[in-house]
Amino acid sequence: MNSTRRIFLLGTGAVACLSGKAAPSNRVSVGVIGVGRQTVQVNLPQFLGMPDVQLAAVCDVDAWRLDNAQKQIADGYAKQAASATYKGCKTCKDFREVLADKSIDAVFIGAPDHWHVPLSIEAIKAGKDVSCEKPLTRCIGQGRELSDLVTKHKRVFRNDSEFRSLEIFYRAVELVRNGRIGKLNTIRTGVPMEYPREAIGCPPQPEMPVPPDLDYERWQGPARRAPYTEKRVTKPRAYDRGGWMRRRDYCDGMLTNWGAHMIDITQWGNNTEHTGPVEVEARGAYPAADSFWNVLADFEAEYRYANGVRLYYKTERAYVRFEGSDGWIQAEYPGSLQAQPTAVLDSKIREDEIHFPFKTDKQDFIDAVKTRGRTLEDAEVAHRVMSVCHLANIALQLGKRLEWDPLKERFIKNDQANAFLSAPILESRRS
């Protein structure tokens, strides 16, 4: 990295001698775009605790959230420095200000799902390394475009899913990849339900005045225009789970939301991180036609891989179960790990076997920024994970078993299915 970009000039000098902090020239300067619930509760505290990171800027279209994030960062750094004040983190509404700042090395994108790829593309073109929240894409074509762009511009990219840093999943994958359950033949995985089964959907919502803190036009960004109502975005001046997560204009629901975690672990354990299944079939149910929330309420998908492995994916709970010729291993969120035979769990991974780096998702990203290496879940890996999710959605729309060519990334002899590759599925063709 250009050393002049790496030096972050502190506004007050208060952080220059933070206890345990790396020298300014050795810290990665990070700008954060999107400071909603997940960012302020999880991501900012992680970055604040990293001595080789300097949070340099925060950006959001909601003024209340923006002010809170700046204060959270200022208070965090001031506490570390035993200083009363710290004002080195700038704020802005327009993400382009962050991307134009030459002192910023990397950006973390925590905006809603419909913004993930557009913001990542602009950041990469601006010469920034990128860590982006999951789920990464809204359609398969977006993922291919993004991954190719990362390669072309030689940027570091990390999909911000923490499940590879959860010990139960990490341990399960190492055991499977090193043959402790014999030849893998079946994977079963699930995600929590989007809605309680007894209360599917949401009644039609009235148009409402836009809250004064929110720049709603900027929030909509690349999405189609729609009148403001609270359940389309999120509760003002709160960090509640946003209603946008249940609207297909912005999100594909649990299929991709938690699917980004669980399918990633299945791909990792199956050693298919850079490819995908060759066959898919799916079933599911949407809320009633007049429901304001309209993402999938319930689904079941079956896949076949070229290596013979079968994957079964459905709404149930967050777990991954690997079944092989000599036993099985099951990891269930947040902390259960089981196996049969049970002795598998005590198995040691030898030096000459497959090992994966065990670190947090944030440290994985920052280390790669410094070394210019690849992250554990780079753009290509994340694209392939999301492709598995999108394949189920397309098969569900058409109500038929589909054959997929993971090399060409096209459905075989099915133009109707291929029409779904380049844009999000915003309207259901099946009830």
Side-chain angles (χ1 to χ4, degrees):
M1 249 191 228
N2 186 322
S3 61
T4 59
R5 283 183 58 230
R6 291 291 309 278
I7 298 174
F8 176 67
L9 302 177
L10 299 174
T12 63
V15 187
C17 57
L18 288 179
S19 176
K21 274 285 190 184
S25 59
N26 292 323
R27 295 203 295 270
V28 176
S29 177
V30 176
V32 179
I33 303 174
V35 288
R37 175 178 59 100
Q38 181 75 5
T39 299
V40 300
Q41 293 178 2
V42 179
N43 299 320
L44 289 186
Q46 288 181 334
F47 280 127
L48 283 168
M50 297 174 69
D52 47 357
V53 169
Q54 182 68 54
L55 292 172
V58 287
C59 175
D60 202 280
V61 297
D62 186 299
W64 180 80
R65 292 185 170 196
L66 193 58
D67 289 345
N68 284 354
Q70 185 189 43
K71 185 177 186 303
Q72 182 178 359
I73 293 167
D75 289 350
Y77 282 148
K79 183 178 180 180
Q80 292 176 31
S83 170
T85 60
Y86 166 75
K87 297 180 180 178
C89 182
K90 72 178 183 180
T91 64
C92 55
K93 267 189 176 183
D94 190 334
F95 70 88
R96 288 169 294 191
E97 291 183 40
V98 177
L99 302 186
D101 190 331
K102 300 298 183 183
S103 72
I104 293 176
D105 303 310
V107 295
F108 176 84
I109 296 171
D113 297 3
H114 66 292
W115 269 109
H116 288 176
V117 170
L119 284 174
S120 294
I121 286 174
E122 291 304 313
I124 291 161
K125 289 179 177 178
K128 309 300 184 187
D129 296 323
V130 178
S131 177
C132 183
E133 263 290 359
K134 58 80 193 169
L136 184 59
T137 65
R138 299 294 319 284
C139 66
I140 292 173
Q142 276 189 338
R144 173 46 54 216
E145 178 186 5
L146 178 60
S147 182
D148 288 350
L149 195 69
V150 169
T151 300
K152 176 183 176 181
H153 288 267
K154 299 180 181 179
R155 305 319 308 167
V156 169
F157 190 95
R158 179 51 152 96
N159 188 40
D160 191 68
S161 167
E162 72 275 18
F163 272 47
R164 292 192 182 212
S165 301
L166 299 182
E167 189 170 3
I168 57 168
F169 295 108
Y170 166 87
R171 177 68 171 156
V173 168
E174 274 206 337
L175 291 169
V176 171
R177 292 281 294 270
N178 284 293
R180 296 305 191 269
I181 59 171
K183 181 175 173 54
L184 182 64
N185 54 57
T186 304
I187 308 174
R188 304 180 193 277
T189 189
V191 295
M193 293 202 67
E194 183 64 46
Y195 322 86
R197 279 193 170 93
E198 67 275 11
I200 290 178
C202 173
Q205 296 294 299
E207 183 174 357
M208 301 168 65
V210 177
D213 292 325
L214 177 66
D215 186 332
Y216 182 52
E217 178 63 24
R218 286 183 190 270
W219 183 91
Q220 292 180 96
R224 60 183 179 182
R225 292 303 177 261
Y228 174 83
T229 190
E230 182 179 306
K231 290 187 183 295
R232 185 183 300 280
V233 185
T234 192
K235 185 177 180 181
R237 299 205 163 204
Y239 291 109
D240 292 4
R241 189 173 189 269
W244 62 265
M245 299 177 80
R246 292 170 169 170
R247 287 283 306 179
R248 275 183 288 164
D249 284 309
Y250 322 108
C251 179
D252 292 294
M254 285 296 188
L255 177 71
T256 59
N257 192 330
W258 273 72
H261 293 315
M262 312 316 296
I263 296 298
D264 176 44
I265 300 303
T266 70
Q267 288 272 98
W268 195 21
N270 194 27
N271 193 21
T272 51
E273 294 176 286
H274 293 90
T275 182
V278 295
E279 199 171 74
V280 59
E281 185 175 17
R283 299 163 292 282
Y286 287 94
D290 64 345
S291 172
F292 184 73
W293 288 337
N294 60 4
V295 297
L296 271 171
D298 206 353
F299 67 86
E300 246 182 290
E302 300 175 14
Y303 306 84
R304 180 176 63 84
Y305 285 82
N307 62 5
V309 169
R310 296 275 180 171
L311 167 62
Y312 299 90
Y313 174 38
K314 63 181 178 178
T315 45
E316 186 179 11
R317 64 189 193 281
Y319 76 102
V320 176
R321 180 185 175 98
F322 297 101
E323 300 174 0
S325 57
D326 299 333
W328 56 263
I329 296 173
Q330 180 170 302
E332 183 168 347
Y333 181 83
S336 171
L337 183 62
Q338 303 174 62
Q340 195 61 246
T342 55
V344 166
L345 298 180
D346 298 322
S347 179
K348 304 295 184 184
I349 307 299
R350 301 186 307 271
E351 286 188 10
D352 62 339
E353 292 188 298
I354 298 170
H355 290 262
F356 300 108
F358 187 58
K359 59 180 77 174
T360 68
D361 48 309
K362 303 298 187 297
Q363 196 64 60
D364 181 40
F365 173 58
I366 296 301
D367 287 351
V369 170
K370 290 179 173 182
T371 65
R372 310 315 296 164
R374 67 176 291 269
T375 64
L376 198 54
E377 192 175 353
D378 61 18
E380 182 65 21
V381 170
H383 159 57
R384 295 294 184 165
V385 168
M386 296 312 302
S387 293
V388 175
C389 299
H390 295 313
L391 289 175
N393 202 2
I394 295 169
L396 190 150
Q397 296 296 316
L398 298 181
K400 61 178 68 174
R401 183 177 294 271
L402 301 173
E403 293 183 346
W404 174 251
D405 183 335
L407 180 62
K408 296 179 179 178
E409 295 186 88
R410 301 281 295 175
F411 290 100
I412 297 172
K413 297 179 181 179
N414 197 319
D415 292 340
Q416 188 181 17
N418 285 324
F420 286 107
L421 296 177
S422 59
I425 298 172
L426 302 182
E427 304 296 340
S428 173
R429 293 192 182 182
R430 297 176 64 82
S431 61

